[in-house]
Structure formats: C-alpha cells, structure tokens
Amino acid sequence: MRTCGVEITGNEIFLCLLSKEADVFDIRDIRQTRFSLPQNGSDTAVMRKFYFDFKKLVEDYKIDSIAFKERPAKGKFAGSAAGFKFETALQLIPDIDVRILTSTEVKEQLKKNPIPIDFEETGLKKYQENAFAYAYVYINRKIYKVDEKQAEQ
C-alpha cells in the first residue's frame, strides 16, 4: 500500500510518500515534494499542468491512495481558493483512493497509534511533517479497518 500524504497550505502543497509492506513502514523518495500554483490557479493552463504533473507522479510511483486534511470552507481557518482547486484536482485523478481526513480523525488515530519514530529521524524536510502524518494516519485507518467498524455502528 503506497499512500501520498498531502498538506495543502495557501497556494502550495507538500507531499510525502509512505508505504507499508510486511508490517514495515517505508518512506519513499519522491522526485517532487511540493507544488505551487502561481496566481492562485486562476489560469486554466496552470491547473491542467498541475493535474497532469501530479497524475504522472501517481502513475510513476504506483501510488494507491492520497490522504489530506479537510479544511473549513468558512471562518478564521478557512482554506484558500487555490487550496480547494488542489483538492478538486486530486479527487479527479482516476483509480486512486482519495481520503479527506478530519482533524478529529487525525488526532484520534495519532492518539491510538502514535508515530513510532521521531520526525527528525525520518530524513524528511520539516515542511513535510504534516503530509507524513496524514499518510501514516490513513494507512493505519486501512490496517485497522476503522472506516468499516464505524459503518457497522
């Protein structure tokens, strides 16, 4: 299972590719760890290029799923227009499991299954920390079948 954790901030996204095979987590090197949208993605050609580039990244690294944190549409912590465009483009990539995690889901999963390594020891850049956490949370949700258990209740 290869999951791309994505943190969306303003007009940038940060990526971390995490996989789990045989009970071992593996942080994969990825050719591009960030994307940005000039002019908040108001140009159609820019959005198409982002979509094409990200889709190619997904295909090249055989990514199964994408996980990112939900951002509020209103209020003090509302997401930007560019951020919502990023979200939409990610959701349109065919044959990929895209999961939008709520803040509560992230907190609960990290409380139940804390990350077993200090982030500094991962070798990732500081800006990739949240993307790493989202990928880790999503993989654990799949392993422990959290979504299926909630559906049964």
Side-chain angles (χ1 to χ4, degrees):
M1 172 187 316
R2 287 188 183 177
T3 300
C4 182
V6 178
E7 181 185 17
I8 302 172
T9 60
N11 66 340
E12 280 191 304
I13 63 171
F14 306 114
L15 311 175
C16 176
L17 183 55
L18 187 65
S19 66
K20 183 167 185 184
E21 295 169 19
D23 291 335
V24 176
F25 282 99
D26 184 23
I27 300 169
R28 303 283 178 145
D29 286 333
I30 193 167
R31 71 174 168 256
Q32 191 164 353
T33 58
R34 62 177 8 156
F35 284 93
S36 63
L37 285 180
Q39 303 145 358
N40 289 328
S42 59
D43 184 11
T44 303
V46 170
M47 285 307 301
R48 285 186 178 149
K49 180 173 179 1
F50 164 72
Y51 174 79
F52 174 80
D53 291 346
F54 200 93
K55 184 176 175 229
K56 183 72 172 140
L57 190 87
V58 166
E59 291 167 358
D60 291 349
Y61 289 96
K62 297 177 176 58
I63 295 171
D64 303 315
S65 54
I66 298 171
F68 55 90
K69 191 172 103 177
E70 178 181 57
R71 294 161 322 109
K74 296 182 192 178
K76 183 178 179 181
F77 301 105
S80 68
F84 289 113
K85 289 177 183 182
F86 276 131
E87 286 182 15
T88 302
L90 297 176
Q91 291 174 354
L92 291 174
I93 297 173
D95 303 321
I96 293 296
D97 181 21
V98 177
R99 177 61 188 226
I100 303 172
L101 304 165
T102 66
S103 295
T104 306
E105 288 174 307
V106 172
K107 287 176 189 172
E108 285 176 359
Q109 197 60 240
L110 289 175
K111 187 176 181 183
K112 288 179 188 175
N113 301 298
I115 296 173
I117 186 172
D118 286 334
F119 183 76
E120 291 78 29
E121 296 174 21
T122 63
L124 296 170
K125 306 280 188 218
K126 182 69 176 157
Y127 63 81
Q128 293 176 283
E129 186 170 5
N130 287 333
F132 171 74
Y134 303 151
Y136 177 79
V137 164
Y138 182 70
I139 289 172
N140 276 317
R141 288 183 66 83
K142 294 289 275 189
I143 291 168
Y144 297 113
K145 298 179 176 35
V146 172
D147 298 322
E148 293 172 16
K149 289 177 185 174
Q150 289 176 346
E152 292 174 2
Q153 294 177 353

